[in-house]
Amino acid sequence: RRTAERFALRVAFAMALVAVVGCGSSQVGDRPDLGTVTGVVTLDGAPLAKAAVVFKPKGLRTSRGFTDAEGNYELIYLRDIRGAALGEHQVYITLLPGNGNGVTPLPAKYNAKSELTQTVEPGSNVFDWKLQSKP
């Protein structure tokens, strides 16, 4: 449990740092082709609120989003640019500190040792994640 909490804190800190500082060029012409990504995250069949959803492609900028009270998320590539780079992504889903869900930490197969992958295609992509608290 402690490892999962540390991982969640690191992810939250990294996201906050990127949001404040930014990284790479902010010029729109330098970005790769993007697809929009939305979806719903559930845990044991119930919406998962206050979770971070991170799509990490090889060699390109990471996209991230946060779930709302109904488990809905939308990925942001950079500041106000929505979407994720086209192609294969490793996906990480973790609970944010202080989420108040009253649930145990997510299994490592969803975050620290993620087994989740997804391919982003041009246009609109909808990826729902049906997580289970027990392996």
Side-chain angles (χ1 to χ4, degrees):
R1 178 178 175 140
R2 208 167 223 153
T3 301
E5 290 173 352
R6 279 186 284 204
F7 180 77
L9 286 172
R10 284 190 208 128
V11 169
F13 177 77
M15 286 186 217
L17 184 61
V18 168
V20 171
V21 176
C23 60
S25 173
S26 63
Q27 297 177 1
V28 173
D30 291 345
R31 77 169 186 248
D33 290 334
L34 305 175
T36 60
V37 178
T38 61
V40 177
V41 181
T42 58
L43 179 63
D44 300 328
L48 184 61
K50 295 186 181 178
V53 180
V54 178
F55 275 49
K56 183 174 177 34
K58 199 166 224 160
L60 294 171
R61 178 187 304 276
T62 297
S63 294
R64 59 192 43 84
F66 302 97
T67 59
D68 63 14
E70 288 80 40
N72 298 301
Y73 73 93
E74 179 177 20
L75 293 184
I76 303 296
Y77 179 74
L78 175 66
R79 295 184 186 104
D80 60 346
I81 300 172
R82 297 179 186 330
L86 302 182
E88 188 74 16
H89 291 255
Q90 187 75 38
V91 179
Y92 302 89
I93 301 174
T94 187
L95 296 175
L96 297 173
N99 66 1
N101 286 332
V103 297
T104 57
L106 297 177
K109 68 181 181 179
Y110 301 131
N111 44 66
K113 297 180 182 179
S114 180
E115 299 172 1
L116 305 175
T117 60
Q118 194 58 256
T119 301
V120 175
E121 302 287 341
S124 178
N125 297 264
V126 178
F127 303 126
D128 294 336
W129 301 98
K130 296 177 182 182
L131 312 182
Q132 297 295 316
S133 60
K134 298 186 181 183

Coordinates of all heavy atoms in Angstrom, one line a residue, residues 1 3-4 8 12 20 29 37 39 43 47 50 55 62 67 70 76-77 95 98 100 107 111 125-126 133:
R1 N 0.8 -1.2 0.0 CA 0.0 0.0 0.0 C 0.9 1.2 0.0 O 0.6 2.2 -0.7 CB -0.9 0.0 1.2 CG -1.8 1.2 1.3 CD -2.7 1.2 2.4 NE -3.4 2.5 2.5 CZ -4.7 2.6 2.7 NH1 -5.4 1.6 3.0 NH2 -5.2 3.8 2.7
T3 N 3.8 1.7 -1.2 CA 4.4 1.9 -2.5 C 3.4 2.6 -3.5 O 3.8 3.5 -4.2 CB 4.9 0.5 -3.1 OG1 5.8 0.0 -2.2 CG2 5.5 0.7 -4.5
A4 N 2.2 2.1 -3.5 CA 1.1 2.7 -4.3 C 0.9 4.2 -3.9 O 0.7 5.0 -4.8 CB -0.1 1.9 -4.2
A8 N 1.5 7.4 -6.4 CA 0.4 8.3 -6.6 C 0.9 9.7 -6.3 O 0.6 10.7 -7.1 CB -0.8 8.0 -5.8
A12 N 1.1 12.7 -9.1 CA 0.4 14.0 -8.9 C 1.4 15.2 -8.9 O 1.2 16.2 -9.5 CB -0.3 14.0 -7.5
V20 N 2.5 23.6 -14.4 CA 3.0 24.9 -14.1 C 4.1 25.3 -15.0 O 4.2 26.4 -15.6 CB 3.5 25.0 -12.6 CG1 4.2 26.3 -12.3 CG2 2.4 24.8 -11.7
G29 N 3.1 24.0 -34.3 CA 3.6 23.3 -35.4 C 4.6 22.2 -35.0 O 4.9 21.3 -35.8
V37 N -9.1 11.9 -27.0 CA -9.3 10.7 -26.2 C -10.2 11.1 -25.0 O -9.9 12.0 -24.2 CB -7.9 10.1 -25.7 CG1 -8.2 8.9 -24.8 CG2 -7.0 9.8 -26.8
G39 N -13.2 9.0 -22.1 CA -13.7 7.7 -21.7 C -14.2 7.8 -20.2 O -14.3 8.9 -19.7
L43 N -14.3 1.3 -11.2 CA -13.6 0.4 -10.3 C -14.6 -0.5 -9.7 O -15.6 0.0 -9.0 CB -12.8 1.1 -9.2 CG -12.1 0.2 -8.2 CD1 -11.0 -0.6 -8.9 CD2 -11.5 1.0 -7.1
P47 N -18.2 4.3 -10.8 CA -17.3 5.3 -11.4 C -16.2 5.6 -10.4 O -16.4 5.7 -9.2 CB -18.3 6.5 -11.5 CG -19.6 6.0 -11.5 CD -19.6 4.7 -10.7
K50 N -11.6 11.3 -9.2 CA -10.3 11.8 -8.7 C -9.2 10.8 -9.0 O -8.4 10.5 -8.1 CB -10.4 12.2 -7.3 CG -11.3 13.4 -7.0 CD -11.2 13.9 -5.6 CE -12.2 15.1 -5.4 NZ -12.2 15.5 -4.1
F55 N -1.5 8.7 -20.6 CA -1.1 8.0 -21.8 C 0.3 8.4 -22.2 O 0.6 9.6 -22.4 CB -2.0 8.4 -23.0 CG -3.3 7.6 -23.0 CD1 -4.1 7.4 -21.9 CD2 -3.7 7.0 -24.2 CE1 -5.3 6.7 -22.0 CE2 -4.9 6.3 -24.3 CZ -5.7 6.1 -23.2
T62 N 3.8 13.0 -23.0 CA 2.7 12.3 -22.3 C 1.4 13.2 -22.3 O 1.5 14.4 -22.2 CB 3.2 12.0 -20.9 OG1 4.3 11.2 -20.9 CG2 2.1 11.4 -20.1
T67 N -10.3 12.1 -13.7 CA -11.7 11.7 -13.7 C -12.5 12.7 -12.9 O -12.0 13.2 -11.8 CB -11.8 10.3 -13.3 OG1 -11.3 10.1 -12.0 CG2 -11.2 9.3 -14.2
E70 N -18.2 11.2 -12.0 CA -18.8 10.1 -12.8 C -17.8 9.2 -13.4 O -18.1 8.3 -14.2 CB -19.8 10.7 -13.8 CG -21.1 11.2 -13.2 CD -20.9 12.6 -12.7 OE1 -20.2 13.4 -13.3 OE2 -21.4 12.9 -11.6
I76 N -5.5 15.7 -22.1 CA -4.9 17.0 -22.5 C -3.5 16.8 -23.0 O -2.7 16.1 -22.2 CB -4.9 18.0 -21.4 CG1 -6.4 18.2 -20.9 CG2 -4.3 19.4 -21.8 CD1 -7.3 18.8 -21.9
Y77 N -3.1 17.3 -24.1 CA -1.7 17.1 -24.6 C -0.8 18.2 -24.1 O 0.2 17.9 -23.6 CB -1.7 17.1 -26.2 CG -0.4 17.0 -26.8 CD1 0.3 15.7 -26.8 CD2 0.3 18.0 -27.3 CE1 1.5 15.6 -27.3 CE2 1.5 17.9 -27.9 CZ 2.1 16.7 -27.9 OH 3.4 16.6 -28.4
L95 N -4.9 6.7 -8.3 CA -5.8 7.6 -7.5 C -5.0 8.8 -7.1 O -3.8 8.7 -6.8 CB -6.3 6.8 -6.3 CG -7.2 5.6 -6.5 CD1 -7.5 4.9 -5.2 CD2 -8.4 6.0 -7.2
G98 N -5.9 12.2 -1.4 CA -7.0 12.8 -0.9 C -8.3 12.6 -1.8 O -9.2 13.5 -1.7
G100 N -10.7 10.7 -1.4 CA -11.9 10.5 -0.6 C -12.8 9.4 -1.1 O -14.0 9.3 -0.7
P107 N -4.5 -1.8 -7.8 CA -3.4 -2.7 -8.1 C -2.3 -2.2 -9.0 O -2.6 -1.4 -9.9 CB -4.1 -3.9 -8.7 CG -5.6 -3.8 -8.3 CD -5.8 -2.3 -8.2
N111 N -0.9 0.9 -12.7 CA 0.0 2.1 -12.5 C 1.5 1.7 -12.5 O 2.1 1.7 -13.5 CB -0.5 3.0 -11.4 CG -0.8 2.2 -10.1 OD1 0.1 1.6 -9.5 ND2 -2.0 2.1 -9.7
N125 N -11.4 9.1 -30.1 CA -11.1 7.8 -29.5 C -11.9 7.8 -28.2 O -11.7 8.7 -27.4 CB -9.6 7.6 -29.3 CG -8.8 7.6 -30.5 OD1 -8.5 6.5 -31.1 ND2 -8.4 8.8 -31.0
V126 N -12.6 6.7 -27.9 CA -13.2 6.5 -26.6 C -12.7 5.2 -26.0 O -12.9 4.2 -26.6 CB -14.8 6.4 -26.8 CG1 -15.4 6.2 -25.4 CG2 -15.3 7.7 -27.4
S133 N -10.5 -4.1 -8.2 CA -9.7 -3.9 -7.1 C -8.9 -5.1 -6.7 O -7.9 -5.1 -6.0 CB -10.5 -3.4 -5.9 OG -11.5 -4.3 -5.5

